[in-house]
Amino acid sequence: MESALSGAKKLTKTISNHRLCTKKTSFIISLTASSKITFVLFFLFLNVTCRHFQPKIKLIDSTASIAFFEIEEEVWKELFPKKLRDLPLSSNHLEELPKILASVQYKRGILAYEDWDQLVPESYLLEIQKFVDKIKEGKETKVFLCSFKIDDLLAPNVKILKTSFYVMGTENGIVILFQEINTNISFSTQYTFEDWVLFQPVPIKPIYKPELWIKNKNSLSLFQDLSLSKNSIYGNIIVYLDNELLAKPAIYRYPKEDDTPTQQEQWKSVPEKLKALEEMRKNQLITDEEYQKKKTELLKEF
């Protein structure tokens, strides 16, 4: 009797697998030739990428809205600027990380020249402090990745703003490298932790728009790589205390703070901002009420 039941179960599983394979085969056959190629290439890319990075990026701590990862050396050395790859790691100054992040401002939008806000919410700074206390107890120093999300006020279940940054403790300070800064992400259905925390590493390259602004000017600067002939300023990398890496003179925003437009230039930009505002309303990125409020503010600039 037991052997009969076992045989029946095997047969059922075989039939189920056969049906699944048949469905997959039917789906692929129904595609056009070009679609088949695209489908196969996408599958191969996804498979290779996941195999290459995921075992080397380890989730070590998290809450519902913030996650911390440990990054293997062979991964971050592929991603970081060349000048940072051979620095010896240390946790000597990591306790300063929350204080540094508290001074980092981000540009809230394109519609106002001076519209800045604190990048990392105070509640997340507390979680980061707990994480720092935890990793300083360890004997081995690593490079870490922190990702956090902020729910969209209008669609909290399907839209988020996501920020991700690497933390590298050196013998003489700290380096913070941002990969995502308030990236707008939408989901087709209500997202889960696994959905929003999904991370795809890419090399850290210079950004040339003023997304970050360091308000505390004590031993902090954006990173500048003087070995590069042009585009040497990284507006997405912050250096703390390390004299070998600090820009001289220090850079707190790029373009620099004195690169502000004249009053006439601001007036000329108002029509462009109004056009952008109208596009945002058409694409339902803002409500009619937000549109009217911001339009009134822009018209006052005249």
Side-chain angles (χ1 to χ4, degrees):
M1 184 69 176
E2 289 181 1
S3 61
L5 287 172
S6 177
K9 287 180 180 178
K10 288 181 180 179
L11 179 60
T12 303
K13 186 175 181 181
T14 303
I15 294 171
S16 177
N17 289 338
H18 174 72
R19 287 175 178 171
L20 182 60
C21 290
T22 303
K23 288 181 180 179
K24 288 181 178 178
T25 305
S26 300
F27 168 72
I28 295 173
I29 292 173
S30 67
L31 296 174
T32 62
S34 60
S35 298
K36 288 177 184 176
I37 294 172
T38 304
F39 177 81
V40 171
L41 289 176
F42 174 75
F43 177 79
L44 288 173
F45 170 78
L46 189 63
N47 190 43
V48 170
T49 303
C50 291
R51 285 173 181 268
H52 180 66
F53 283 114
Q54 292 310 318
K56 302 162 189 174
I57 301 177
K58 180 183 176 184
L59 179 67
I60 54 176
D61 201 0
S62 66
T63 67
S65 300
I66 188 168
F68 301 94
F69 300 84
E70 186 180 278
I71 311 297
E72 293 294 330
E73 182 176 316
E74 59 184 290
V75 174
W76 64 260
K77 283 198 171 185
E78 287 184 28
L79 306 174
F80 290 8
K82 187 176 180 180
K83 189 175 180 179
L84 304 178
R85 294 174 190 171
D86 297 323
L87 294 174
L89 301 180
S90 171
S91 59
N92 291 342
H93 305 280
L94 285 181
E95 69 273 4
E96 301 293 328
L97 180 62
K99 182 180 73 175
I100 297 167
L101 293 171
S103 73
V104 178
Q105 306 279 305
Y106 76 97
K107 194 164 188 180
R108 296 177 63 183
I110 62 171
L111 300 175
Y113 189 78
E114 297 296 334
D115 192 9
W116 299 82
D117 202 354
Q118 184 170 314
L119 177 63
V120 184
E122 289 293 335
S123 59
Y124 293 173
L125 291 177
L126 295 175
E127 295 296 333
I128 292 171
Q129 182 64 65
K130 292 177 185 176
F131 175 72
V132 168
D133 294 340
K134 181 178 178 180
I135 61 175
K136 280 186 70 67
E137 295 174 358
K139 295 180 180 179
E140 189 176 2
T141 304
K142 295 275 190 178
V143 169
F144 300 97
L145 170 74
C146 174
S147 290
F148 66 84
K149 55 99 176 175
I150 299 174
D151 287 322
D152 185 279
L153 294 176
L154 300 177
N157 295 320
V158 293
K159 285 186 179 181
I160 63 169
L161 293 174
K162 183 180 177 184
T163 296
S164 298
F165 58 89
Y166 298 94
V167 179
M168 180 185 194
T170 69
E171 289 184 345
N172 301 311
I174 301 175
V175 183
I176 304 171
L177 308 92
F178 288 86
Q179 177 167 314
E180 300 173 289
I181 302 173
N182 272 345
T183 301
N184 198 323
I185 302 175
S186 298
F187 303 92
S188 56
T189 58
Q190 184 170 345
Y191 67 86
T192 64
F193 176 84
E194 289 76 13
D195 293 328
W196 80 260
V197 85
L198 189 65
F199 183 79
Q200 179 59 55
V202 295
I204 303 294
K205 296 181 180 180
I207 59 173
Y208 316 115
K209 51 186 178 180
E211 290 197 48
L212 297 181
W213 180 18
I214 306 171
K215 298 211 74 174
N216 180 359
K217 300 179 180 180
N218 184 20
S219 301
L220 286 166
S221 174
L222 294 177
F223 176 60
Q224 183 174 19
D225 189 349
L226 296 177
S227 66
L228 301 177
S229 58
K230 59 180 181 177
N231 301 333
S232 62
I233 298 175
Y234 285 75
N236 50 348
I237 299 180
I238 294 174
V239 177
Y240 170 69
L241 203 61
D242 196 321
N243 284 324
E244 293 185 10
L245 300 175
L246 285 170
K248 299 176 181 61
I251 305 167
Y252 306 111
R253 185 170 72 186
Y254 185 71
K256 297 178 183 178
E257 288 179 90
D258 55 0
D259 297 337
T260 55
T262 63
Q263 190 72 19
Q264 184 178 2
E265 287 173 339
Q266 287 184 0
W267 286 354
K268 288 180 180 179
S269 68
V270 168
E272 296 174 1
K273 292 176 182 178
L274 288 171
K275 288 181 181 178
L277 188 66
E278 179 63 32
E279 286 296 319
M280 292 176 71
R281 183 176 70 163
K282 285 181 180 178
N283 293 326
Q284 298 183 339
L285 297 175
I286 57 175
T287 64
D288 289 340
E289 183 180 352
E290 291 171 322
Y291 169 81
Q292 291 298 337
K293 182 180 178 181
K294 199 65 187 180
K295 180 180 178 181
T296 302
E297 292 176 7
L298 289 172
L299 291 175
K300 285 181 180 178
E301 291 186 24
F302 282 103

